[in-house]
Amino acid sequence: MGADTAPAVPAGAALVSGRAGAPARGGRAGPVRARARRWRELGVRVGGVLAVLAAFELCSRLGVLPRQWFPPVSEIYVELFRLAFGRPLWVEIGRTLSGWAIGLGLATLLAVPAGVLLGSSRIAYHLSRTVIEFFRPVPSVALIPLAVLVYGTGLDMKVFLIVFVTFWPVLMQTIYGVQDVDPVAKDTARCYGLPPTAVFRLITLPSAAPYIATGLRLSSSVALVLAVTAELVAGSPGLGQAIVVAQSNALITRMYALIIVTGLVGWGLNSAFQAVEGRLLRWHPSQRQEVAR
Amino acid sequence: MLDVLGLRKVHGPDPDGPPAVADLDFSVAAGEFVAILGSSGCGKTTMLRCLSGLVPPTAGEVLLHGAPVTGPPKDMAFVFQDYSRSLLPWMTVRRNVAFPLRYQGVTGPAARTATEEALAAVGLAGRGDRFPWQLSGGMQQRVAIARALAYRPKLLLMDEPFASVDAQTRAGLEDLLLEVRERYDITVVFVTHDIDEAVYLADRVLVLRPPAHVSLAVDVDLPRPRHQVDTKRLPEFGRLRAELFAALDGGGRDAAAPAPSPADAG
């Protein structure tokens, strides 16, 4: 069911490609033309969204899709706004997000030090590799019965699931990051007599930071998927449970509105992560807005 | 000041394997500028890493002020060829220059003064708040030189520092190096594969042939201060250049030959 949510951890190098050159290229066209182009791009994007929404609306209103199961989009959005002005929706969002935050926080606290350790010691890395390779691909939702058995259906269960699953991508990214410190940078530090603690703080950690950030961003979306899944399947309180409740009370419009909310939460978290990354890692080639030379 | 005695370095665990550096002997006097000239792959970089204490030699000794070098010495600075990797992209130019000072016991206003002075000496005053990757290649290497200067080394080791900048920038950097070396009174060991550069900069040129050993040592008696056009027009410059070219050319042929037998190595 949710097996495909286990993240593919990208090899470290993939991180440098991606967005590197794209934003800078347009900048040369002159500010006026660039702005016009940006508005046009935005228009095209909004137009695409509106077209899809309008198509759904029409299909529902004209009866192409059974209205009972596919209510018109406009009604869903009215319901969404009604929910947004009430307290209960925010309580549910808070419950889902607290599981997300505690789980991801704990996983980070455990995985980053572990990754630093395994990344800096060849022996430790080889000793642990098989164990990691065994645990990492376990489909996250397969653990739900175990989690419910041990922790019940409350917050603890959600946190356990999220910690167990997001630990691995953060660990792997930290290991790659620590192993990928530039040897010239390390030689430089040694030549200037930096003690090991300073090498770690000034060289190793900053150069591993982009890898760890990628691990966290991947884990963040996985953690949200798991939180909602745990709520859906095991009935812990939160957005997922609210969706089930709406469904079983035949409140189809509300169910759709809540599904849209989960999407918005995921989008919001991802955007927040990207913004923080762009700010803290502005020195990294993938985040630079200007090209050297 | 610096004495290299019977230095030998073999890569890998087998001490009887083919050496990268073999029977290397030379000395550098205080205040001297020694250029070490060799074609690529002759073991120059390995030699310099042994000199700096970054890697231990297989046999032989490196003495600095008469004491054996076992790790990077406190009064030595190293400028790498690859400035873009030696400068830390997450630090501003100022922090890149300043960060080693703390571990030398220089802090507070003294560190700030040393940093700004070094940046001014390489013509980068006012660029301290930028990031290295916002600067051109030549400027980045000047930041690396400023870092070395702020450290106030007695000995400066440079590994083909100007090999990856364009010719104009390179001439500027060479003159800058000669100027700051006068002002800061530094002993320089400068590794290069460029004959003109070696003759132009140095008091003495050592030619290395693989596995790294000194095959020729030439004193350069060109007048100082040197000048990019006038110095290179002197007949003596041409003569030195020809002599070194001949010595290197032989080295080139040696290097091209398949795996020299131990008998040839001497």
Side-chain angles (χ1 to χ4, degrees), chain B residues 132-213:
Chain B
W133 39 270
Q134 293 172 319
L135 305 177
S136 69
M139 285 191 196
Q140 289 184 42
Q141 194 56 295
R142 281 196 266 162
V143 176
I145 294 172
R147 174 162 67 195
L149 292 179
Y151 199 66
R152 291 294 162 97
K154 293 269 186 304
L155 175 65
L156 179 60
L157 302 181
M158 304 182 93
D159 186 9
E160 303 197 41
F162 309 145
S164 38
V165 294
D166 61 81
Q168 281 300 313
T169 310
R170 182 177 193 155
L173 287 171
E174 287 169 0
D175 291 335
L176 173 81
L177 174 62
L178 290 181
E179 188 198 312
V180 295
R181 169 245 178 183
E182 285 290 319
R183 182 160 8 140
Y184 286 76
D185 189 27
I186 308 171
T187 310
V188 183
V189 175
F190 187 102
V191 164
T192 180
H193 60 254
D194 185 308
I195 297 172
D196 285 28
E197 185 169 70
V199 175
Y200 181 70
L201 291 173
D203 298 318
R204 193 150 56 97
V205 180
L206 308 177
V207 176
L208 289 199
R209 297 252 299 256
H213 65 284

Side-chain angles (χ1 to χ4, degrees), chain A residues 20-271:
Chain A
R25 207 173 300 138
R28 306 237 178 264
V32 178
R33 270 177 59 196
R35 205 177 308 145
R37 210 176 45 101
R38 221 174 301 142
W39 279 110
R40 204 168 53 236
E41 272 175 13
L42 188 69
V44 169
R45 237 185 271 172
V46 171
V49 174
L50 287 180
V52 170
L53 291 179
F56 269 115
E57 178 85 18
L58 271 179
C59 285
S60 173
R61 297 245 179 232
L62 297 176
V64 178
L65 292 170
R67 187 159 176 168
Q68 190 190 359
W69 309 126
F70 300 95
V73 178
S74 53
E75 285 176 21
I76 297 174
Y77 274 88
V78 169
E79 176 71 11
L80 182 63
F81 280 104
R82 237 170 36 74
L83 284 176
F85 285 106
R87 207 174 113 75
L89 175 70
W90 298 102
V91 173
E92 300 303 338
I93 292 178
R95 285 174 173 154
T96 300
L97 279 184
S98 59
W100 171 89
I102 298 172
L104 195 60
L106 271 178
T108 308
L109 283 181
L110 294 171
V112 171
V116 167
L117 188 78
L118 297 185
S120 15
S121 156
R122 200 167 274 280
I123 298 171
Y125 177 63
H126 285 293
L127 273 177
S128 58
R129 235 178 92 178
T130 319
V131 180
I132 295 174
E133 290 308 320
F134 177 77
F135 277 114
R136 201 154 61 100
V138 172
S140 42
V141 286
L143 291 165
I144 291 181
L146 170 71
V148 171
L149 193 65
V150 179
Y151 294 102
T153 58
L155 184 64
D156 291 358
M157 183 271 291
K158 244 192 285 184
V159 169
F160 165 79
L161 274 180
I162 293 173
V163 170
F164 185 87
V165 175
T166 57
F167 177 81
W168 307 108
V170 180
L171 178 76
M172 292 315 290
Q173 286 295 101
T174 310
I175 292 175
Y176 289 140
V178 170
Q179 285 176 343
D180 198 42
V181 177
D182 195 314
V184 177
K186 271 196 254 183
D187 280 349
T188 305
R190 277 189 59 205
C191 278
Y192 287 109
L194 265 63
T197 50
V199 175
F200 177 74
R201 197 166 51 80
L202 296 176
I203 315 277
T204 309
L205 216 50
S207 59
Y211 291 82
I212 300 175
T214 302
L216 282 178
R217 187 153 41 76
L218 290 173
S219 293
S220 154
S221 45
V222 176
L224 184 66
V225 168
L226 271 176
V228 174
T229 309
E231 290 156 7
L232 279 171
V233 177
S236 355
L239 279 173
Q241 194 203 32
I243 292 174
V244 176
V245 170
Q247 180 236 28
S248 51
N249 289 313
L251 298 168
I252 301 300
T253 318
R254 169 168 298 184
M255 185 186 80
Y256 276 102
L258 288 168
I259 291 173
I260 291 174
V261 169
T262 53
L264 288 175
V265 169
W267 174 79
L269 289 176
N270 201 47
S271 309

Side-chain angles (χ1 to χ4, degrees), chain A residues 182-195 198 201-204 206-207 282-284 288-293, chain B residues 49 53-54 72 74 76-78 80 82-83 85-86 88-91 95 99-100 102-103 131 133-135 137 147-148 151:
Chain A
D182 195 314
V184 177
K186 271 196 254 183
D187 280 349
T188 305
R190 277 189 59 205
C191 278
Y192 287 109
L194 265 63
R201 197 166 51 80
L202 296 176
I203 315 277
T204 309
S207 59
R282 64 185 186 284
W283 55 267
H284 193 263
R288 285 177 201 166
Q289 293 298 314
E290 44 196 309
V291 183
R293 249 167 252 263
Chain B
R49 288 172 66 81
L54 278 174
K74 275 281 169 207
M76 178 208 79
F78 200 122
F80 295 85
D82 220 334
Y83 46 78
R85 293 165 62 196
S86 176
L88 307 174
W90 48 86
M91 291 184 184
R95 240 170 91 59
F99 84 83
R102 225 183 106 187
Y103 307 98
F131 283 94
W133 39 270
Q134 293 172 319
L135 305 177
R147 174 162 67 195
Y151 199 66

